[in-house]
Each structure stands twice: as C-alpha cells, then as structure tokens.
Amino acid sequence: MDPAQPADRVPADQTPPDGQPPVTPTGATDAVAGSRPSKGPAGGGSATGAGTEAALVETPAGDGDLALVEPTPDAAAVDADVPPARPAAGGRPAGKEKSRSERSPKDMALSLLVLLVPIALLVAFYRGFLGGEQPTVIDAAPAYEQARAANAFPVSEPARLSSGWRTVSASYRTVEGGANLRVGYLTPEGRGVQLLQSNVPPEKLLPAELTAEGQPQGPTDLGGRNWQRYTGRGNDQALVLLEPNRTILVIGDARENELRQLAGSLR
C-alpha cells in the first residue's frame, strides 16, 4: 500500500482509469489559459451576473473528476434587459376603448330609450293618479268673514262666477296705513287674477301694486260703476275702482274680458 499523499499535492501518475478522459489539474488549466485573472468589480463583471465565467466543479460521483459547468444567468440581469410593458394611453385597456368607439347610433338610441321610458311612466302616474300640477283650491269664506269682522271697509264678494273659476289663495292682513283683503283666482283659461280690497290711500296703494309702470288707460263702466283701466307690471292689466272708504283692484295677466267678468260680479 502506498503512503498517504498530502491533499494539495498532485499525484505523479495522472493516467485516468480505463474509459475516462484525461483530467487536467486546476493549476494546469490556469497555466494553459495564460493565468488570466478572474473578473471582479473592477472588470465590470459579477460573480453571479451575466459576465460570470464557466467553473470547474466536482462531479456527483465524488471520484475526484472535474467537469465544466456553464453558469446560470442571473434573473435580475435578464429582467434588466427586458423593457417593462407600457399601459395603453389614458390608463385604459385598448380593448375597452375599441368596444366603446364601435357603438352604433342604434345602440345609443336604445340606451336612451331605456332611461326615458321609466321617467315617462313616473310623470304619467304623478299627473294622472296623484293630481300633479293641479292647483289647490281653497275656501275663501274665512278671509271674507275676518275682513267683515274687522269692519275696516265695506267688503264685496264675487257672485255668480262660473265653475271654471277656482280660488287658490285668500288672506286678510293689517298693513301700514290700513288693511288688505286679497283673494287669488285662476280663470277658466288657467290665468291668474287677484282681487284686492283695501283702505290704504290710493296714492300709496296704486304705486305699490302696479309699480311705476302702471299707467291709466281710460275709464270703463261695469255694473253702473265707473272703473279705471290700468297697465301693470309685465303683462298684467288692472281694473281700479276708487271709492271714499276703499279701493278695489282686479289685476292679473288674464284677458280683459275675464277681468271685467270678475269685477262685474262683485256684490
């Protein structure tokens, strides 16, 4: 039996066993390669980077043979060479933008119809069953009774008006310089008319009710009483009756014949 050799000593007989290729010691390989120094940070390479050289490793057989193993590329280096994917313009997928742009006018019309049908049904239900847009008719009798009880001025009340006239407001209030009895009506044509009876002096009452735009248009006879025609604010017209203890105004945007009908019905 041969004596044990040191671990760092190269055996003198380097003849491989039968059927195996010759093995060159590591030192001899370095000598043949010209003793090329290994790359480090100064050479721009990395032990695990893309520039890593092949290495000699011992085979799994564990019989002292060495094999040449190619290095595995580093994942970070591979990822660094691949540019990241860029999202579509505006941050929206291109497929969705295309599908929206391909909508036809027919599709948009159907979508609009789906929204309008429920709205139309709600409006019809509101008008037909809930009485939407119909004025609230009130009883003006309490306001007339309050004015008569105050005895501030004589009180007249319409009589023999047709059923198309509807009372929508009524109030009696004390104001500076006197008191006012106001009753609002809707005419058969759906226009607004207000009947005002007051003991406020005419020089103060008329400018307040007709504004500076109110101008006299001439007299007219109604029921044997001399009324004055006036213009009012906007499209309003007015009939004015001046008496010693009170002033009566019939004013609104109704036609003149409707104003005359209300004024002539006062009793």
Side-chain angles (χ1 to χ4, degrees), residues 159-242:
R160 296 190 301 272
L161 284 175
S162 65
S163 59
W165 288 80
R166 291 163 290 178
T167 306
V168 294
S169 64
S171 65
Y172 174 79
R173 295 178 181 175
T174 301
V175 296
E176 182 180 357
N180 292 336
L181 172 62
R182 295 179 184 271
V183 182
Y185 297 91
L186 280 180
T187 71
E189 295 184 3
R191 299 178 181 271
V193 176
Q194 186 176 108
L195 171 62
L196 172 62
Q197 303 178 61
S198 175
N199 62 349
V200 176
E203 60 273 12
K204 182 177 181 181
L205 179 66
L206 294 182
E209 298 296 329
L210 303 177
T211 71
E213 301 175 3
Q215 298 296 326
Q217 301 296 312
T220 183
D221 183 74
L222 290 172
R225 292 186 287 189
N226 190 19
W227 292 72
Q228 297 289 329
R229 294 183 295 111
Y230 275 80
T231 58
R233 62 172 63 90
N235 296 326
D236 286 354
Q237 302 180 73
L239 295 175
V240 179
L241 178 62
L242 300 175

Side-chain angles (χ1 to χ4, degrees), residues 9-35:
R9 182 177 177 181
V10 179
D13 187 5
Q14 299 181 2
T15 303
D18 296 337
Q20 296 185 5
V23 179
T24 303
T26 304
T29 304
D30 295 340
V32 174
S35 299

Side-chain angles (χ1 to χ4, degrees), residues 22-190:
V23 179
T24 303
T26 304
T29 304
D30 295 340
V32 174
S35 299
R36 183 173 56 189
S38 60
K39 294 181 180 181
S46 174
T48 58
T52 304
E53 298 179 352
L56 293 174
V57 299
E58 186 175 355
T59 60
D63 53 1
D65 297 336
L66 300 177
L68 186 65
V69 178
E70 292 292 336
T72 303
D74 186 53
V78 175
D79 294 340
D81 296 335
V82 180
R86 294 183 178 181
R92 297 179 180 176
K96 291 185 178 180
E97 291 292 339
K98 183 178 180 181
S99 63
R100 290 180 180 179
S101 62
E102 290 178 354
R103 290 182 179 177
S104 64
K106 180 180 179 180
D107 295 335
M108 292 186 288
L110 291 176
S111 301
L112 183 61
L113 183 62
V114 170
L115 295 175
L116 292 179
V117 168
I119 296 176
L121 292 176
L122 288 175
V123 171
F125 178 80
Y126 174 72
R127 290 181 176 180
F129 295 94
L130 302 181
E133 298 184 357
Q134 295 296 327
T136 302
V137 178
I138 67 169
D139 184 10
Y144 282 108
E145 292 176 0
Q146 187 179 0
R148 290 189 178 99
N151 199 23
F153 50 82
V155 176
S156 299
E157 189 172 350
R160 296 190 301 272
L161 284 175
S162 65
S163 59
W165 288 80
R166 291 163 290 178
T167 306
V168 294
S169 64
S171 65
Y172 174 79
R173 295 178 181 175
T174 301
V175 296
E176 182 180 357
N180 292 336
L181 172 62
R182 295 179 184 271
V183 182
Y185 297 91
L186 280 180
T187 71
E189 295 184 3

